[in-house]
Amino acid sequence: MDDGFPRLATADAVQAASRASLAAEEARLLALEAEYCSHGDTVHYTQFPKIFSGCEGSFMLDAAGNRFLDLQMWYSAVNFGYANPRLNNALKRQIDTLPQVASQYLHREKIELAAMIAKDAEAKFGAKGRVHFNVGGAQAVEDSLKLVRNASNGKSLMFAFEGGYHGRTLGASAITSSYRYRRRFGHFGERAHFIPFPYHFRGPKGMSKEEYGEHCVQQFARLFESEYNGVWDPKVGQAEYAAFYVEPLQGTGGYVIPPPNFFTGLKKVLDDHGILMVVDEIQMGFYRTGKLWSIEHFGVTPDVIVFGKAVTNGLNPLSGVWAKEALINPTVFPPGSTHSTFNANPLGTAVALEAMKMMEEEDYETMVMAKGAYFLDGLKDLQKRHKIVGEVDGLGMALRIEICEPHDSYTPSKRLVDLMCDEGMKADLEIAGKRYGLVLDIGGYYKNVITLAPALTMSYAEIDLAIALLDQLFTRAAKPRFPARTRCRQRAGDHGDLLRVRGLSPLDRQPRLWRRGGRDHRPFR
């Protein structure tokens, strides 16, 4: 036939067969996963986990070729973009030279990386120190707990913040504020004393952000006014607590940003009472906030820094601890104080060393602060137009959107955030004739905050795309006719629900047009 219909029918049949094949393969994999994989990890926050098959830059891809703009980048582990060529090549070079070596031996990459981090800290904080490596953030937190307990003659109690998160190993769970992570694992006799963080949006009304920060410091200082407040013995001048574990910006707590004056006041109280400040930079380190360490924004010198995640851009795992010389020199913290088979592994240290060189060579501070301000401007515009947005805030490329019920723009709405995560996974948000998915991460005290940790390499065009997709998603989720979620399990952790719910057809909204420096940024052509 010459009318083309048979050829069209054949093409349609091929596409249908391809879709069926992909669906069958996904079903096969999910069936195997359901039977043989533990559900105790962080995948099963959703009934139907998403299977991805590729990644590049700011995007994740599935087997069907759908593109998902990732606004959380593996919980801020991939600051420099998926499949970053320079860092990937560093890994490939190391695989061909020294891919393995036992941790009791030395290799160049470990030594140069430790020196680079320690010299940078000495230049910034005026304190000589050393670096100790491990493989995961929680493991590095455990190492830091040994450091501070050793330095304080065995004191095992710590202060930490309400809303703070430091990991889920036993020691890290004890200083993480969520009881949910401890409930099924017995009594935690060394559970931290949790102190309020200056979360101004949900703090007392009538105080400025700075006043609330001062108020929180004063309430903490009150604990040391009398021995009957339970933490201080004035007769010998000793506290029962060894250290205060802090996140400069709360991660799982919802990217809460404290006022600039808060940590200076807190550090003075700690110094006055011989208590160490341990800064957890696992999520906010490596220019997420526009500084190598987020604590640099707040004008204090930490005693210990814990880091991980983005140091290798999410490639071979590596984490570590920087501590002042008095805490970590070999006479007080000798060989064998901690051990991990894969600590300082050559693949991880090679990538991390290349990442540190890249950060030193390029002006990430200026770039991240400019992009973060641009992104935040877009979020503020969304806040003006959507009643479900209660607050937006950001520091560098660590940004937050607090989702609330529309009647008052204040009551936390986990319900709406869950719907947004589900809709983002459907890959049917349509912009200028192209369909996208959206990968979001959820945090906050009420699990109602979208925490944004996009790639630092994200282009301005991709920021515009993110704002347009969020605009469409907010409009869709807030519609009164939107079906209620019925199949989702109760959220079990601090990472985003990604349950795929069948439902609405895409809205056909046009992206806003940004004008910066006389140029239009329209990324969707």
Side-chain angles (χ1 to χ4, degrees):
M1 294 180 64
D2 296 328
D3 56 10
F5 287 104
R7 291 190 297 275
L8 180 60
T10 300
D12 289 344
V14 169
Q15 290 179 0
S18 177
R19 287 193 296 269
S21 176
L22 290 172
E25 174 63 5
E26 182 172 299
R28 183 187 72 84
L29 291 171
L30 289 175
L32 289 172
E33 193 272 344
E35 185 170 358
Y36 296 112
C37 293
S38 166
H39 287 201
D41 56 22
T42 56
V43 173
H44 283 270
Y45 295 156
T46 159
Q47 191 172 359
F48 303 108
K50 178 70 179 175
I51 298 176
F52 287 110
S53 59
C55 59
E56 58 181 15
S58 294
F59 291 88
M60 297 295 298
L61 295 85
D62 65 14
N66 294 312
R67 293 172 65 81
F68 296 77
L69 182 63
D70 195 337
L71 297 184
Q72 58 94 44
M73 299 303 289
W74 202 355
Y75 324 125
S76 192
V78 191
N79 286 4
F80 309 106
Y82 289 119
N84 182 289
R86 178 170 175 175
L87 301 180
N88 282 12
N89 287 334
L91 180 61
K92 293 171 185 175
R93 288 194 303 272
Q94 191 67 28
I95 287 174
D96 291 334
T97 53
L98 182 68
Q100 297 115 332
V101 62
S103 57
Q104 70 262 38
Y105 304 116
L106 291 173
H107 56 282
R108 178 185 63 83
E109 293 77 16
K110 170 188 175 176
I111 297 168
E112 290 189 354
L113 176 61
M116 199 167 188
I117 293 172
K119 288 179 179 179
D120 178 85
E122 186 170 359
K124 288 173 177 173
F125 303 124
K128 185 183 184 306
R130 296 173 186 256
V131 176
H132 181 98
F133 292 110
N134 210 310
V135 290
Q139 289 81 5
V141 168
E142 295 281 352
D143 288 349
S144 74
L145 285 166
K146 278 192 167 183
L147 267 170
V148 299
R149 289 174 68 151
N150 181 66
S152 60
N153 297 315
K155 290 181 184 177
S156 61
L157 297 181
M158 311 293 157
F159 290 110
F161 282 122
E162 294 175 6
Y165 179 87
H166 302 284
R168 297 186 213 181
T169 56
L170 287 174
S173 293
I175 58 173
T176 291
S177 66
S178 298
Y179 170 54
R180 176 164 50 83
Y181 300 137
R182 297 186 295 275
R183 181 180 59 81
R184 293 176 292 112
F185 305 109
H187 176 64
F188 282 69
E190 293 164 352
R191 173 186 178 276
H193 185 157
F194 295 106
I195 303 298
F197 193 80
Y199 184 2
H200 184 250
F201 182 66
R202 299 204 176 274
K205 303 307 173 189
M207 287 186 184
S208 68
K209 193 170 185 176
E210 289 70 23
E211 288 170 339
Y212 186 42
E214 291 175 0
H215 171 75
C216 289
V217 171
Q218 290 166 3
Q219 291 299 105
F220 176 62
R222 177 186 168 277
L223 295 175
F224 301 91
E225 290 179 355
S226 165
E227 65 182 276
Y228 296 101
N229 292 337
V231 304
W232 178 248
D233 182 350
K235 291 186 178 180
V236 296
Q238 283 195 20
E240 190 175 7
Y241 291 76
F244 200 137
Y245 275 73
V246 310
E247 295 170 284
L249 278 68
Q250 293 199 308
T252 298
Y255 284 23
V256 181
I257 303 170
N261 61 332
F262 174 67
F263 279 110
T264 51
L266 180 68
K267 188 64 163 66
K268 184 179 187 307
V269 176
L270 297 178
D271 288 345
D272 287 348
H273 298 92
I275 299 170
L276 301 173
M277 176 182 278
V278 181
V279 176
D280 184 336
E281 293 278 3
I282 294 168
Q283 190 164 164
M284 293 296 160
F286 305 104
Y287 286 96
R288 169 57 53 198
T289 67
K291 300 280 190 182
L292 182 68
W293 310 120
S294 61
I295 194 65
E296 294 178 54
H297 292 282
F298 300 100
V300 298
T301 297
D303 298 294
V304 179
I305 296 173
V306 183
F307 60 87
K309 287 190 187 295
V311 68
T312 64
N313 202 42
L315 294 173
N316 217 68
L318 189 74
S319 64
V321 177
W322 171 88
K324 289 181 176 179
E325 181 74 5
L327 305 176
I328 200 173
N329 76 76
T331 64
V332 297
F333 205 67
S337 295
T338 77
H339 176 76
S340 169
T341 299
F342 299 104
N343 70 42
N345 64 86
L347 297 180
T349 52
V351 176
L353 181 60
E354 191 69 24
M356 288 294 294
K357 290 177 180 177
M358 186 174 71
M359 286 180 264
E360 186 177 67
E361 292 165 11
E362 301 180 28
D363 188 0
Y364 273 90
E365 180 170 350
T366 299
M367 178 185 71
V368 171
M369 295 307 289
K371 288 182 180 178
Y374 185 85
F375 208 137
L376 185 58
D377 281 347
L379 298 181
K380 289 177 179 178
D381 181 59
L382 293 179
Q383 182 181 16
K384 292 175 184 176
R385 295 187 288 107
H386 294 277
K387 292 182 179 180
I388 63 173
V389 180
E391 187 199 40
V392 299
D393 201 359
L395 183 60
M397 291 286 268
L399 303 126
R400 71 189 310 268
I401 310 170
E402 182 139 357
I403 301 298
C404 303
E405 293 294 336
H407 71 277
D408 63 356
S409 301
Y410 186 77
T411 301
S413 185
K414 180 181 183 297
R415 169 186 69 88
L416 287 174
V417 168
D418 286 343
L419 291 173
M420 291 174 194
C421 289
D422 297 346
E423 289 299 296
M425 282 292 101
K426 290 164 66 176
D428 66 351
L429 296 166
E430 190 167 336
I431 301 294
K434 294 182 180 180
R435 289 191 169 193
Y436 298 91
L438 201 55
V439 179
L440 302 175
D441 193 29
I442 305 307
Y445 291 41
Y446 307 96
K447 300 304 176 192
N448 71 312
V449 178
I450 300 173
T451 52
L452 302 178
L456 307 185
T457 54
M458 188 181 215
S459 68
Y460 284 94
E462 288 170 340
I463 295 174
D464 285 346
L465 175 59
I467 295 297
L469 292 172
L470 288 168
D471 187 14
Q472 188 174 139
L473 193 63
F474 292 168
T475 300
R476 182 186 291 192
K479 281 185 176 293
R481 64 184 178 85
F482 201 96
R485 167 184 284 187
T486 58
R487 295 184 289 160
C488 181
R489 299 179 181 184
Q490 175 66 33
R491 179 180 174 83
D494 58 285
H495 304 313
D497 285 326
L498 302 177
L499 174 62
R500 293 170 293 162
V501 176
R502 309 298 178 187
L504 298 176
S505 60
L507 298 178
D508 190 17
R509 292 179 60 88
Q510 292 298 314
R512 63 186 179 139
L513 186 67
W514 286 91
R515 180 174 291 276
R516 287 291 170 92
R519 296 178 58 196
D520 291 337
H521 296 271
R522 190 187 295 275
F524 317 120
R525 292 173 180 166

